[in-house]
């Protein structure tokens, strides 16, 4: 089972009429329901991020045909639209919250659309959805200082623990960006595993802090979704994304190098 490849689906907003900022990475409630029906019809077994990592860490067998359903940021539609569908199928899922975007006492006002409140997050957790961290203010973590990086990770973890009574063990990198420094900080601040993007299937060999996900968008049709969960044509589907990601990685690296030089007077 060590070489099994697992599709980790990355969702954001589930909404009928999202705003412009979230539209491309949103799905309609109808599309989400159809996609979950595809998983059920094909006999896939949804597990949480923590469950996947624990199996790979211990060598325990995964269920037959595992898949992960993950949501980033914390949009209100995850509770309104996705939760009833997940409950209907008895599916597990993971939600990664940016704590400064959740409505309530820690809200920084940075949320891109209508966000969950903490009562809704607690209801999701009570229904079996794993709640993980996604930073506090959703920055590009590979671009911030060491102090800011640790604050983003620790503050997020402390808020989730305070609001839910359980410490989050899984993390998802905002924008999917990480670096060796970021991954090390995530590990040192107590998260046991973390998800990137990468638009490829997850494998144990990627290590627990760089597990890949595949992006589900508003433009992802039912046939394309079926190919994603079967692991077919992924490289072709996301070819443009990968080229863009590689190019932007160079830009981000250059920006960070310039900032470090300016701080040291170089």
């Amino acid at each position: 089972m060590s070489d099994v490849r697992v599709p980790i689906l990355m969702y954001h907003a589930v909404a009928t009429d999202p705003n412009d900022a979230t539209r491309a990475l949103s799905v309609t409630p109808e599309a989400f329901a159809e996609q979950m029906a595809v998983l059920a019809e094909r006999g896939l077994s949804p597990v949480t991020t923590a469950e996947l990592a624990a199996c790979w860490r211990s060598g325990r067998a995964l269920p037959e045909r595992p898949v992960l359903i993950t949501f980033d940021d914390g949009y209100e539609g995850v509770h309104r639209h996705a939760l009833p569908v997940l409950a209907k199928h008895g599916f597990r899922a993971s939600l990664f919250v940016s704590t400064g975007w959740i409505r309530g006492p820690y809200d920084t006002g940075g949320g891109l659309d209508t966000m969950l409140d903490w009562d809704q997050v607690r209801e999701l957790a009570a229904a079996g959805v794993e709640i993980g961290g996604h930073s506090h203010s959703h920055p590009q973590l590979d671009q911030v200082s060491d102090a800011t990086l640790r604050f983003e990770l620790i503050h997020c973890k402390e808020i989730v623990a305070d609001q839910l009574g359980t410490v989050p063990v899984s993390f998802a990198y905002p924008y999917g960006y990480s670096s060796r420094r970021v991954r090390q900080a995530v590990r040192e601040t107590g998260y046991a595993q973390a998800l990137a993007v990468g638009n490829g299937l997850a494998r144990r060999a990627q290590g627990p802090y760089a597990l890949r996900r595949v992006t589900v968008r508003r433009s992802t049709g039912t046939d394309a979704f079926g190919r994603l969960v079967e692991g077919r044509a992924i490289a072709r589907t996301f070819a443009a994304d990968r080229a863009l990601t590689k190019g932007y990685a160079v830009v981000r690296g250059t920006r960070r190098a310039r900032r470090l030089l300016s701080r040291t007077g170089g």
Side-chain angles (χ1 to χ4, degrees):
M1 294 291 288
S2 62
D3 61 348
V4 66
R5 300 187 179 202
V6 179
I8 303 181
L9 307 173
M10 181 180 69
Y11 289 95
H12 287 79
V14 182
T16 300
D17 189 24
N19 64 16
D20 290 344
T22 60
R23 180 171 298 276
L25 286 178
S26 70
V27 297
T28 66
E30 295 78 15
F32 183 77
E34 289 176 7
Q35 290 161 3
M36 295 303 100
V38 168
L39 299 185
E41 289 163 4
R42 300 192 183 199
L44 276 80
S45 302
V47 297
T48 66
T49 305
E51 289 166 344
L52 173 71
C55 284
W56 275 346
R57 192 173 280 114
S58 67
R60 292 200 313 270
L62 286 161
E64 193 71 21
R65 305 201 68 199
V67 64
L68 274 67
I69 304 161
T70 71
F71 302 91
D72 282 8
D73 302 344
Y75 298 100
E76 193 266 347
V78 176
H79 181 275
R80 179 189 299 269
H81 301 299
L83 180 57
V85 178
L86 295 171
K88 171 187 172 183
H89 293 288
F91 283 174
R92 308 274 279 158
S94 299
L95 165 68
F96 297 95
V97 293
S98 293
T99 48
W101 289 10
I102 302 300
R103 288 181 290 151
Y106 307 101
D107 190 353
T108 63
L112 298 180
D113 207 332
T114 304
M115 310 305 292
L116 295 162
D117 62 32
W118 285 107
D119 284 341
Q120 292 171 319
V121 175
R122 282 187 283 272
E123 288 177 17
L124 285 157
V129 175
E130 176 192 10
I131 308 301
H134 197 46
S135 80
H136 183 60
S137 65
H138 203 282
Q140 295 180 20
L141 292 177
D142 59 345
Q143 297 294 300
V144 301
S145 69
D146 290 347
T148 299
L149 172 59
R150 294 187 70 84
F151 171 81
E152 287 286 337
L153 299 174
I154 293 170
H155 199 44
C156 174
K157 187 176 182 180
E158 290 175 343
I159 290 172
V160 172
D162 177 64
Q163 291 294 315
L164 272 61
T166 55
V167 178
V169 296
S170 303
F171 188 81
Y173 304 109
Y175 306 102
Y177 302 148
S178 71
S179 62
R180 183 177 298 176
R181 178 181 71 106
V182 171
R183 292 189 290 274
Q184 181 176 339
V186 169
R187 183 174 64 249
E188 289 175 351
T189 51
Y191 295 96
Q193 52 273 328
L195 302 180
V197 181
N199 285 316
L201 299 183
R203 302 172 60 193
R204 187 179 184 181
Q206 290 162 3
Y209 294 95
L211 296 173
R212 292 184 175 181
R213 295 189 283 177
V214 291
T215 307
V216 184
R217 299 184 169 99
R218 208 166 187 85
S219 59
T220 305
T222 303
D223 290 344
F225 181 81
R227 290 193 294 272
L228 289 185
V229 299
E230 296 289 349
R232 293 186 288 114
I234 287 180
R236 185 166 70 249
T237 301
F238 294 107
D241 298 73
R242 286 179 173 170
L244 193 63
T245 298
K246 286 180 180 178
Y248 198 39
V250 173
V251 173
R252 292 200 318 276
T254 302
R255 285 175 181 168
R256 176 162 173 75
R258 285 174 178 166
R259 279 199 292 271
L260 288 172
L261 283 171
S262 67
R263 288 174 193 158
T264 58

